[in-house]
Amino acid sequence: MIVVMSPHSTKGQLDHVVKLVEEMGLTSHIIVGTDRTVVAAVGDKRMLDKGALENAEGVEKIVPILSPYKVASKEVKQEKTVVRLSPSGALIGSNRIGVIAGPCSVEDRQQLLEVAAAIKEAGAIGLRGGAFKPRSSPYSFQGLAEKGLKYLAEAREKTGLAIVTELLTVSHVEMLCEYADVLQIGARNMQNFMLLKAVGEQSKPVLLKRGMSATMEEFLLAAEYIINAGNKNVILCERGIRTFEDYCRNTLALSIVPAIQRVSHLPIMVDPTHGTGHAFLVERMSLAAVAAGADGLVIEVHPDPQHALSDAAQQIDPQQFQQLMEKMRRVAAAVDRQA
Ligand code: PEP
Ligand code: MN
């Protein structure tokens, strides 16, 4: 339910409503809009005493939330969520398209610093790179672990780029928070509910990738877990889904971008790299994603893609990235976005 406060309600009346909601065993989320404040009361609706809330001073009305996801939905919050990647970092969800780029895996110090400098120069705002890799085979390169995180932190020192890296297990939350600015939940963990709750209980922004067989509703319910646990800074990322098609690694479902924007206030990025699995498709699908209204792009860039220790077929090199960024700016301008 959404408790809509009247425009003249006081802070004391708002606090009272929050207290009532929490006494009912529900979670309250205060959303301050441009013209009024609402309290979303979420949880088991059998616990909700609508009459008591309706009767509280300063309450204008109680409105049911019809969608299965509540705090991720536009019914609760009309204004778009804008996420700051790091305290001094750039935004995702504003009019400006934000690009996060970097290698699939952090491989060594030189590789990372070289790519970080190049993507910064080309206009990226975030540096991605896996230190803990979710690999299909246990025999594939698994990442440099904490050493990789240290290189990422050094790259931030040198470039000012926000660091985005994947979290694989709840037991690594503290370690990753020490080095990273944004925690990435990968496609394979989109429904790892303990992990979703854990990133919801800390304050760094979360980049949530769509599960490879997740529906839009399941994707938004995964985001709901994070917000419901207390972290509003969620960025969604479409990265392609599994279909019968096998000429590319995944089928990049770009229609989810406007579809999500219709029902949710959360920003949505697109990863055309994992979404296609082939370097030659990355530029065109990046342009298509921006044309479709994406708030940003996540792109794998490697100084020497053919020798990459993971995802060699799909990474582009810094020069290709720079060209992509130039074309992307022209498409962004055509759809009234900055880049
Ligand atoms: C990644 O971005 O490094 C990654 C593993 O992607 P995904 O979770 O989308 O497969
Ligand atoms: Mn990869």
Side-chain angles (χ1 to χ4, degrees):
M1 291 281 170
I2 302 171
V3 185
V4 182
M5 301 302 292
S6 76
H8 308 295
S9 59
T10 64
K11 167 86 171 61
Q13 289 166 341
L14 179 68
D15 290 345
H16 181 64
V17 166
V18 168
K19 189 160 164 274
L20 278 178
V21 168
E22 281 167 12
E23 277 170 6
M24 292 171 196
L26 299 167
T27 310
S28 63
H29 297 267
I30 302 171
I31 294 124
V32 184
T34 40
D35 53 8
R36 65 190 59 205
T37 297
V38 305
V39 179
V42 297
D44 185 345
K45 62 174 180 258
R46 288 169 303 183
M47 318 268 275
L48 187 110
D49 182 347
K50 190 165 171 250
L53 287 168
E54 237 158 22
N55 220 348
E57 277 179 48
V59 171
E60 188 178 286
K61 59 183 172 186
I62 313 284
V63 189
I65 309 171
L66 300 176
S67 59
Y69 34 87
K70 312 293 177 192
V71 280
S73 94
K74 266 199 171 163
E75 291 178 60
V76 166
K77 180 173 177 263
Q78 284 291 322
E79 288 94 20
K80 201 157 171 181
T81 292
V82 179
V83 177
R84 187 173 287 285
L85 294 186
S86 65
S88 59
L91 308 171
I92 297 285
S94 71
N95 186 260
R96 187 176 286 279
I97 288 159
V99 179
I100 296 169
C104 178
S105 309
V106 179
E107 296 173 7
D108 59 62
R109 183 172 175 272
Q110 182 56 30
Q111 168 236 24
L112 191 71
L113 296 182
E114 187 183 327
V115 90
I119 61 151
K120 165 86 183 181
E121 171 82 25
I125 60 170
L127 174 65
R128 58 144 294 142
F132 294 92
K133 294 300 300 176
R135 304 305 304 278
S136 299
S137 164
Y139 308 117
S140 302
F141 176 59
Q142 304 285 310
L144 295 183
E146 195 165 2
K147 193 157 71 160
L149 297 175
K150 290 195 160 96
Y151 295 153
L152 285 164
E154 186 183 347
R156 173 183 42 216
E157 290 272 296
K158 292 201 154 68
T159 59
L161 290 165
I163 299 304
V164 183
T165 197
E166 181 164 353
L167 174 72
L168 288 185
T169 167
V170 174
S171 64
H172 286 166
V173 172
E174 221 173 287
M175 190 209 309
L176 254 72
C177 285
E178 224 183 280
Y179 300 100
D181 297 300
V182 179
L183 305 183
Q184 176 174 322
I185 300 293
R188 289 155 192 80
N189 275 314
M190 191 208 80
Q191 284 190 317
N192 182 337
F193 301 112
M194 298 307 279
L195 202 54
L196 297 176
K197 283 185 194 162
V199 293
E201 284 163 4
Q202 59 78 55
S203 61
K204 301 247 165 156
V206 178
L207 179 70
L208 176 66
K209 300 191 85 176
R210 182 185 186 178
M212 56 188 91
S213 64
T215 63
M216 180 169 100
E217 186 174 308
E218 287 163 343
F219 191 16
L220 285 166
L221 283 169
E224 184 86 6
Y225 266 94
I226 302 171
I227 305 172
N228 199 41
N231 189 348
K232 296 186 169 111
N233 293 312
V234 178
I235 303 165
L236 303 170
C237 180
E238 162 63 34
R239 49 77 73 207
I241 50 175
R242 280 267 167 97
T243 69
F244 55 84
E245 185 53 76
D246 62 2
Y247 77 88
C248 53
R249 184 177 180 186
N250 291 293
T251 297
L252 189 61
L254 286 182
S255 54
I256 204 173
V257 172
I260 290 247
Q261 287 166 342
R262 190 166 140 128
V263 296
S264 175
H265 50 85
L266 295 173
I268 175 153
M269 303 183 78
V270 169
D271 171 350
T273 305
H274 293 89
T276 61
H278 296 287
F280 81 95
L281 290 170
V282 171
E283 179 184 287
R284 292 256 206 120
M285 296 317 288
S286 297
L287 303 183
V290 171
D295 296 304
L297 299 169
V298 180
I299 299 176
E300 285 187 348
V301 181
H302 192 286
D304 180 11
Q306 274 136 53
H307 292 102
L309 296 182
S310 57
D311 285 350
Q314 66 185 27
Q315 305 201 57
I316 59 172
D317 67 28
Q319 201 193 342
Q320 291 169 320
F321 179 68
Q322 204 218 323
Q323 282 163 14
L324 180 160
M325 290 293 279
E326 277 166 27
K327 289 192 191 170
M328 189 277 284
R329 285 191 193 97
R330 299 208 290 276
V331 175
V335 292
D336 300 324
R337 302 285 293 258
Q338 295 162 287

